Amino acid sequence: MSGRSETLTVPVSRPGERLDTYLRSIYQAVSRGAIQRLIEEGHIRVNGQIAKPTYSPRAGDVVSVFWPEARPALAEPEEIPLAILYEDADLIVINKPPGIVVHPAAGNEQHTLVNALLHHCKGQLSGIGGVARPGIVHRLDKDTSGCLLAAKTDLAHQVLAQQFADRTIEKKYLAIVCGEIPRPRGEVRAPIARHPGHRKRMAVHEDGGREARTGYRVIERFTGATLVEISLHTGRTHQIRVHFEHLGYPVLGDEVYGKKQNRRLCEASGFQPTRQLLHAHTVTFDHPRNGKRIRLEAPYPADFAHALKALRACPNKGSASKN
């Protein structure tokens, strides 16, 4: 089987951490599911031996990883319009609309961003992870809009993924949240893990959760709601939504985190959103080939603008932050 190999040595023991989770923290461009498949197929070994995904890495372990050559994509190209913010031979950045799934999955095999990118890029896409499909470097939830990066080459994918791992990529989001946040700015440091009772949800877990850090700045206050700019310093699943629910100010329209506050605000304002009003507004990164610093901004979609207009029309609107 053709492909490429690499090895790494575990610097310190990782008691309580699984091998697949440890490797996911190193190869952030590759999904945990893809790493698990590589382990199950014998392409990842520890000290020359086949290991289970649940193995806890120890200091001095030599982990060998074989990356098989990309297989043909299962997703079919589809001519779906893309709002392109930037594109060159190495990468493409789009303004993702709300309501579209990024990757094909059971129940969503068609009409995804992957299908659209396969058509637009005509096969010139990263194959990292063993499947020839667009190299989505990071992900957005189905109902989150805004800046999304995809790599056209393996080099671009690896370099951008490393920038995410090193936290040199800057991402700023805009969100409308329930409640009037009193402080002009703040930061949430609260570890996140899978919810113990709801496997599709995440939650703050002081013991056993992964480090998560979110900064925010108030942009505008309304009656019963706040527009905030959010800086992500880590990239945990549902991080913004979980952290703002933890603060007591869940994202407006979020049916998973903070249903009670959403119901109260919708009843008071008369405005009913159809999705969580969270938008990846800007992304700033170093170009993977020439190192040039690039900042891109995604205009927010019509439903976000409509929500702001409706909230501004409510009486007794709060003042914008001057900080």
Side-chain angles (χ1 to χ4, degrees):
M1 181 184 294
S2 58
R4 60 184 179 83
S5 299
E6 59 182 300
T7 61
L8 60 95
T9 301
V10 179
V12 295
S13 295
R14 318 283 291 210
E17 184 172 14
R18 295 163 52 110
L19 176 63
D20 55 0
T21 304
Y22 171 67
L23 292 175
R24 175 70 178 83
S25 69
I26 296 173
Y27 302 108
Q28 296 199 0
V30 186
S31 70
R32 185 175 171 185
I35 289 174
Q36 289 173 339
R37 286 193 298 273
L38 291 174
I39 294 173
E40 291 166 0
E41 293 169 3
H43 296 313
I44 296 178
R45 300 187 175 220
V46 178
N47 302 323
Q49 303 297 315
I50 294 175
K52 293 182 179 180
T54 54
Y55 173 79
S56 294
R58 300 172 183 172
D61 280 346
V62 177
V63 182
S64 59
V65 182
F66 176 74
W67 302 100
E69 202 168 83
R71 303 189 300 272
L74 298 178
E76 294 294 328
E78 292 184 55
E79 190 171 358
I80 300 171
L82 293 173
I84 299 171
L85 300 172
Y86 178 89
E87 183 178 16
D88 61 22
D90 294 291
L91 60 97
I92 181 171
V93 184
I94 64 168
N95 184 3
K96 174 190 172 299
I100 186 169
V101 176
V102 175
H103 285 148
N108 289 293
E109 291 85 0
Q110 299 176 320
H111 315 314
T112 72
L113 280 180
V114 164
N115 299 106
L117 287 166
L118 282 168
H119 177 271
H120 177 81
C121 297
K122 297 178 173 61
Q124 299 302 309
L125 300 162
S126 166
I128 283 182
V131 179
R133 60 169 174 76
I136 306 294
V137 182
H138 65 116
R139 302 186 183 195
L140 295 176
D141 294 338
K142 174 184 175 182
D143 288 327
T144 299
S145 56
C147 297
L148 188 78
L149 284 77
K152 292 185 176 183
T153 66
D154 285 0
L155 169 66
H157 203 148
Q158 291 166 340
V159 173
L160 290 171
Q162 190 60 51
Q163 289 183 41
F164 272 104
D166 295 340
R167 302 175 185 174
T168 58
I169 287 183
E170 297 177 13
K171 294 184 293 180
K172 291 187 182 296
Y173 290 72
L174 290 176
I176 303 173
V177 301
C178 301
E180 300 173 31
I181 299 178
R183 298 176 59 190
R185 61 181 68 237
E187 184 174 270
V188 188
R189 289 177 179 259
I192 292 175
R194 187 72 57 182
H195 193 290
H198 303 277
R199 299 307 297 168
K200 292 186 177 182
R201 293 184 58 181
M202 308 300 288
V204 167
H205 275 270
E206 295 298 339
D207 297 322
R210 299 183 70 190
E211 176 200 5
R213 178 183 165 210
T214 305
Y216 68 86
R217 179 173 67 93
V218 170
I219 302 297
E220 188 173 356
R221 294 187 179 91
F222 314 99
T223 301
T226 309
L227 173 66
V228 289
E229 180 187 75
I230 300 163
S231 300
L232 277 184
H233 301 286
T234 53
R236 309 302 174 217
T237 301
H238 296 178
Q239 178 173 321
I240 291 173
R241 298 164 66 191
V242 171
H243 271 175
F244 275 85
E245 181 197 36
H246 180 65
L247 282 180
Y249 304 100
V251 177
L252 178 58
D254 195 330
E255 288 294 311
V256 177
Y257 304 98
K259 289 183 74 171
K260 290 182 180 179
Q261 293 98 320
N262 265 278
R263 185 169 60 249
R264 287 197 297 267
L265 177 57
C266 291
E267 289 173 353
S269 68
F271 177 75
Q272 181 65 57
T274 58
R275 55 109 179 182
Q276 75 247 10
L277 292 174
L278 179 60
H279 178 69
H281 189 223
T282 66
V283 63
T284 307
F285 59 94
D286 296 330
H287 192 279
R289 189 171 298 275
N290 59 32
K292 180 182 177 182
R293 194 70 170 166
I294 295 174
R295 180 187 182 277
L296 300 169
E297 179 175 314
Y300 42 71
D303 65 341
F304 203 100
H306 179 65
L308 292 175
K309 182 178 180 180
L311 291 168
R312 286 169 182 150
C314 291
N316 302 318
K317 181 188 72 173
S319 60
S321 171
K322 300 300 182 183
N323 295 288

